Amino acid sequence: MKIGIKGIRRIKGIRRASAVAVTTGAVLTAGALGSQAQAATLPTPGITAAGGFVMNNGTGSTLFAKAADTRRSTGSTTKIMTARVVLAQKGLNLNSQVTVQKAYSDYIVNNNWASSAHLIVGDKVTVGQLLYGLMLPSGCDAAYALADKFGTGSTRDARVKSFIGQMNATAKSLGMKNSHFDSFDGIGRGANYSTPRDLTKLASNAMKYSTFRTVVGTKSTKQKVTTKSGGYRYMSWTNTNNLLGSYQGTIGVKTGSGPEAKYCLVFAATRGGKTVIGTVLASPSVNNRTADAKKLMDYAFKK
């Protein structure tokens, strides 16, 4: 059978298109295999922290773990739970006012490692403002005020004990099997501990609250509070989490430190629609905990 010139051209065109399709498929396959190979050979980062954990917040999959279930002192990362308990209160009114008591400032004076929001006795501050004072400058006085406000009982001691009970009940409900709290701020009495995995789980849950996300993602704030005399003053607080503004995509969450805890950091960041969240415990310095967190997030975003 004779094939005309047009037919020959058509056949050649089909062959050429097929060759292009095969070549393209080969390139795509090679690219996919290359990506898989790159992921497989991605070196696991070394960190100075005694423990660390990172997960994909969307899927819950583990991306990095080092002594992830070893119980350690947590310092002020405990305050994530303090905030979480407050935000879960039924009928919570963030504008409800709390009068600053002398007991809150005395607590700061009597505890050498207590960081302060510098609340002034007699001032009236809102619950929302106390959350900023709790999470940005890591105010133990703000933590005390919140525990006193949201605990139950006829005495301050009873209310604080009740609030800490709520913290432990919440930990149990979230499946934090290796965590226990004996304080509202992390200045424990020997039984305040958690793990990198548990704290990451807690932070992931807390980040579901819009108020929490707003607070921990704030670098600094200036809040107008009512004074004892009925006037007003401004309280200025700066976030101790220096990842904000120094690491692209950072959205929170909380620093911690202490003589036993050393330097801790719970962190979270979002890039390209992917959110990673994690914890480092017992880093030797502020700079080390920051460097550890950045290493782990860099690694997590590539996985």
Side-chain angles (χ1 to χ4, degrees), residues 224-297:
K224 183 179 180 179
V225 303
T226 304
T227 64
K228 185 177 181 179
S229 63
Y232 65 88
R233 77 173 91 249
Y234 285 97
M235 303 296 292
S236 296
W237 294 310
T238 301
N239 204 319
T240 56
N241 181 6
N242 57 18
L243 287 175
L244 291 167
S246 73
Y247 188 86
Q248 182 187 351
T250 297
I251 55 176
V253 291
K254 186 72 186 74
T255 62
S257 62
E260 185 181 353
K262 297 184 181 177
Y263 296 91
C264 313
L265 182 58
V266 182
F267 51 87
T270 299
R271 288 184 183 177
K274 178 181 180 180
T275 298
V276 299
I277 188 163
T279 301
V280 288
L281 294 182
S283 283
S285 71
V286 170
N287 288 340
N288 280 124
R289 76 181 175 193
T290 302
D292 284 344
K294 288 181 177 180
K295 275 185 188 178
L296 293 184
M297 287 190 287

Side-chain angles (χ1 to χ4, degrees), residues 20-201:
V20 170
V22 170
T23 303
T24 303
V27 169
L28 288 173
T29 302
L33 291 172
S35 297
Q36 290 172 5
Q38 183 181 6
T41 58
L42 190 65
T44 303
I47 58 173
T48 60
F53 181 80
V54 185
M55 73 177 189
N56 182 320
N57 197 49
T59 65
S61 60
T62 298
L63 302 176
F64 174 92
K66 174 185 177 181
D69 299 308
T70 301
R71 297 174 178 181
R72 301 184 189 280
S73 178
T74 59
S76 286
T77 60
T78 298
K79 290 166 183 161
I80 298 172
M81 179 59 87
T82 308
R84 169 62 174 74
V85 169
V86 169
L87 290 168
Q89 299 293 315
K90 291 182 179 179
L92 178 65
N93 179 5
L94 292 173
N95 294 317
S96 176
Q97 288 190 324
V98 176
T99 301
V100 179
Q101 304 295 313
K102 186 174 183 294
Y104 310 157
S105 58
D106 287 347
Y107 179 81
I108 299 295
V109 173
N110 295 330
N111 289 277
N112 292 333
W113 275 85
S115 46
S116 178
H118 302 289
L119 301 179
I120 297 174
V121 176
D123 280 3
K124 289 181 173 61
V125 294
T126 68
V127 171
Q129 290 171 333
L130 284 173
L131 287 171
Y132 278 101
L134 173 76
M135 301 303 285
L136 270 65
S138 198
C140 296
D141 44 357
Y144 197 167
L146 289 167
D148 193 9
K149 167 74 173 175
F150 292 104
T152 58
S154 57
T155 66
R156 184 172 292 116
D157 285 347
R159 291 190 292 274
V160 167
K161 184 178 180 180
S162 164
F163 186 86
I164 294 170
Q166 293 180 57
M167 294 170 71
N168 284 309
T170 302
K172 185 176 181 180
S173 72
L174 294 177
M176 298 170 63
K177 298 178 180 180
N178 290 299
S179 299
H180 184 268
F181 302 98
D182 69 357
S183 72
F184 47 72
D185 58 359
I187 301 179
R189 296 162 185 80
N192 201 91
Y193 57 80
S194 189
T195 68
R197 190 189 305 273
D198 276 3
L199 281 176
T200 302
K201 186 181 296 184

